[in-house]
Amino acid sequence: MLNISPIKNAFVGSSIWATMLLSGCATLHIDERNPYINVKAMSADVSVPRASYPSKLGCTSAVENDPCTHPMFVGVAISGGGSRAANFGLGVIAQLRNFGLFDEVTALSSVSGGSLTAAAISLKPLQNDADFDLLSTQLRRDYLTSWVYRSANPMNLVPTLTSGKNATRTLADVFDAGIYKGAVYGDLGEKKPGRPSLYINSSHAHRFVGADTLTTRGLNSSEASLQGFTFTDAAFKEMGSDLNQLRLADAVAASAAYPGIFVPLALKNFNADSDIYQPASPKFLHLYDAGSSDNLGVDALIRAYSEILVGTQDLSCLLILVDAHVSDRGDLSGSLADTRNSMIDYVISPSIYRAFDSLLEQRREGQLDVLGVSLASDQPYRFNPGVNIPLKNYAVSRAGYGLVRGQGVGGDEAGILTVGRSINSAHCAVWHIGLDRLLELTKKGSPRKRNAFLQQSSADEYRDETHRDNQLIKLDRFVNSIQTNYKLALNGPGRCEELPIQNSLFEAARVLMTGDTDSSTKLVSWLKDHHRERLSQNISHLLASKAVQDQGAVVQVPRYSVQEPNSSNPSASWINCSK
């Protein structure tokens, strides 16, 4: 759930200034100049290669076992979750680089908080420790407080009330100042190893009429209003807009615009009145937080993979899901008769945010189930080497391997389309790197036990005689107490600095990727089976050396104590960091 307590000051301050302004004006004239974030394209020839769905992979080689003659689609999806997701995503990408696997990544997809890291990594890859340290510093910053101050500033409030400027565009300015420094999509450069395609995702706020380039899943979904929007070259070409000139910060803010706090950002469809739409399309697309349509960021990857399947007979697929979802056991708000605990709660009910979070959770679990990660089972896969992901409305004819998409392909068409290869599923390996799955790595761990553990006051069910398991229990409790906000902070009134919180997320990424022997063994075996013998051996040797180094069973955890609920804070336990 989004923690809104630091935002309350902005609401109070803005309300005061709005009252003062409106009390002196009988009417408020809204200046509609530039209420949208994109610009019209002056030429149809300008493209952004790294924001395109690839049409093919592979190379020309006479060597039968050359890896490039056996193309592999590797997609990395970074979930939402504010700065927690951004830093956990950075930790996972750093480990993928250590594995040598990041150079194989075809596409990097993201939603909400994960988009901060995806855009930053795409703009400036991590080539050395200095690059990692710089981005780590940028992702430690308190962007929420910066946004609060900018929003409450009367110099910003007046334009917000009288022009196209709004709270989400202010958030984009904060991100731009802290990370992207004015960078636009045109700065991404060409696609090559270590510089994959970038898919930043958001959700459509309104039903629209458009071609399937303006949706994430295209005609692979039965309901356009439930779809996401991906910032791709094809989508902007359909709108007659130039993606090259769009700020990366604007796309990230559109992906992160949590409903109720931030308003949707608008894209203008410059081709709305053209003949390509029957009936006419709306002139604007309104975009907000991607979580409601795809809280994992995986839909764009499946769309990209399905595009390549058309002309490629031999194409393996690995989807890496970086999931920053948490299960905080400290929330005991059910002990209160009235959950409103501040002035703003009497104006905006906290149930709004809880309801939205519940929808995000349902969408997440549904997606994971389709991807072969059934959280309801006793032992769901963390690495599933063989998942058939359903694809609807795809068929391929033998002549030219032409792609056909459409609702309910059948009848006379079916006989023609099934002559060739019919594409009705994507066969992928799925690696779920979940922040709330650390306890599964203990000797006694399982998902069902973890759910029981959340209802208990101690972790005895997970304990054995090893120091490592005790440290995993402590690390799990800590990282699952990190707020969903654009600042690194823990839930509750406790105090903890940003650096130990960030380091705990990096450590969680390391443990989940190098300490999960079941998943790493399956990864090594899968890569070997798909013509990546050298990469498989390198990862195997790396993990073996790490296992020797980790024989001391060291898991780094910030020093902290757990404070139980008391009369001044009766609704939850919380964590205090120690020096």
Side-chain angles (χ1 to χ4, degrees), residues 471-525:
Q471 294 299 97
L472 280 173
I473 292 168
K474 293 186 66 176
L475 181 62
D476 171 86
R477 175 63 192 271
F478 190 88
V479 298
N480 279 273
S481 299
I482 301 174
Q483 291 182 7
T484 304
N485 256 331
Y486 290 105
K487 63 180 293 185
L488 286 174
L490 302 179
N491 290 321
R495 294 290 181 267
C496 194
E497 295 181 353
E498 291 86 353
L499 185 58
I501 297 176
Q502 183 183 58
N503 286 338
S504 74
L505 292 167
F506 293 162
E507 178 69 355
R510 184 192 71 81
V511 171
L512 287 164
M513 297 178 69
T514 65
D516 182 357
T517 55
D518 179 68
S519 294
S520 59
T521 300
K522 290 177 180 177
L523 171 67
V524 167
S525 177

Side-chain angles (χ1 to χ4, degrees), residues 129-451:
D129 289 345
D131 291 338
F132 179 83
D133 292 342
L134 175 60
L135 185 52
S136 297
T137 300
Q138 293 171 335
L139 294 181
R140 265 200 315 272
R141 291 174 180 163
D142 182 354
Y143 293 107
L144 181 64
T145 299
S146 296
W147 173 79
V148 166
Y149 284 144
R150 287 201 186 203
S151 298
N153 188 326
M155 298 299 294
N156 287 324
L157 181 64
V158 173
T160 298
L161 294 172
T162 60
S163 73
K165 187 175 182 64
N166 57 46
T168 311
R169 297 182 78 165
T170 300
L171 182 67
D173 292 340
V174 169
F175 290 155
D176 191 63
I179 304 176
Y180 309 110
K181 314 300 182 184
V184 296
Y185 267 85
D187 295 324
L188 291 177
E190 296 294 322
K191 189 177 185 301
K192 58 184 179 180
R195 299 181 74 94
S197 297
L198 171 65
Y199 304 140
I200 295 178
N201 301 281
S202 58
S203 297
H204 290 282
H206 308 291
R207 186 182 296 271
F208 64 95
V209 178
D212 66 354
T213 54
L214 296 184
T215 67
T216 302
R217 284 169 280 165
L219 294 177
N220 198 39
S221 174
S222 61
E223 181 53 64
S225 62
L226 298 177
Q227 296 219 33
F229 174 87
T230 305
F231 285 82
T232 63
D233 192 62
F236 271 67
K237 277 183 165 56
E238 181 180 324
M239 294 186 293
S241 184
D242 186 357
L243 181 58
N244 271 279
Q245 298 187 51
L246 184 75
R247 289 194 312 175
L248 286 170
D250 287 322
V252 172
S255 180
Y258 191 92
I261 302 296
F262 302 105
V263 300
L265 286 185
L267 292 176
K268 184 172 182 178
N269 186 350
F270 295 97
N271 289 334
D273 296 326
S274 68
D275 294 337
I276 66 174
Y277 297 112
Q278 297 294 334
S281 174
K283 293 183 178 180
F284 296 96
L285 281 71
H286 296 93
L287 309 175
Y288 69 100
D289 190 295
S292 62
S293 58
D294 178 12
N295 200 35
L296 292 172
V298 73
D299 282 347
L301 297 179
I302 296 173
R303 170 72 184 269
Y305 176 66
S306 64
E307 296 287 339
I308 310 172
L309 277 177
V310 178
T312 305
Q313 296 289 339
D314 180 14
L315 180 64
S316 55
C317 169
L318 171 62
L319 300 179
I320 302 172
L321 311 182
V322 185
D323 187 357
H325 174 269
V326 295
S327 299
D328 181 21
R329 64 187 288 260
D331 184 6
L332 302 175
S333 54
S335 62
L336 302 176
D338 191 339
T339 58
R340 297 172 296 179
N341 57 18
S342 70
M343 181 177 66
I344 193 62
D345 288 344
Y346 286 84
V347 179
I348 302 177
S349 170
S351 62
I352 293 177
Y353 307 104
R354 292 186 181 276
F356 187 75
D357 289 336
S358 178
L359 293 175
L360 297 188
E361 176 67 13
Q362 291 184 49
R363 174 71 174 129
R364 168 183 174 266
E365 290 194 6
Q367 282 183 295
L368 288 175
D369 192 56
V370 170
L371 294 167
V373 185
S374 180
L375 297 177
S377 66
D378 286 324
Q379 294 292 341
Y381 291 102
R382 292 186 297 273
F383 190 103
N384 190 339
V387 182
N388 283 316
I389 304 169
L391 296 175
K392 303 175 184 177
N393 307 314
Y394 280 80
V396 178
S397 64
R398 179 170 295 169
Y401 296 102
L403 173 65
V404 176
R405 276 202 273 235
Q407 299 294 328
V409 174
D412 294 336
E413 291 180 294
I416 300 173
L417 297 175
T418 54
V419 169
R421 183 166 57 105
S422 178
I423 302 174
N424 51 32
S425 66
H427 187 74
C428 298
V430 176
W431 188 8
H432 182 229
I433 305 172
L435 193 56
D436 62 350
R437 304 190 75 168
L438 282 165
L439 289 183
E440 295 177 32
L441 304 185
T442 62
K443 291 182 179 179
K444 300 180 181 180
S446 76
R448 290 293 178 90
K449 286 185 177 181
R450 186 188 202 291
N451 290 335

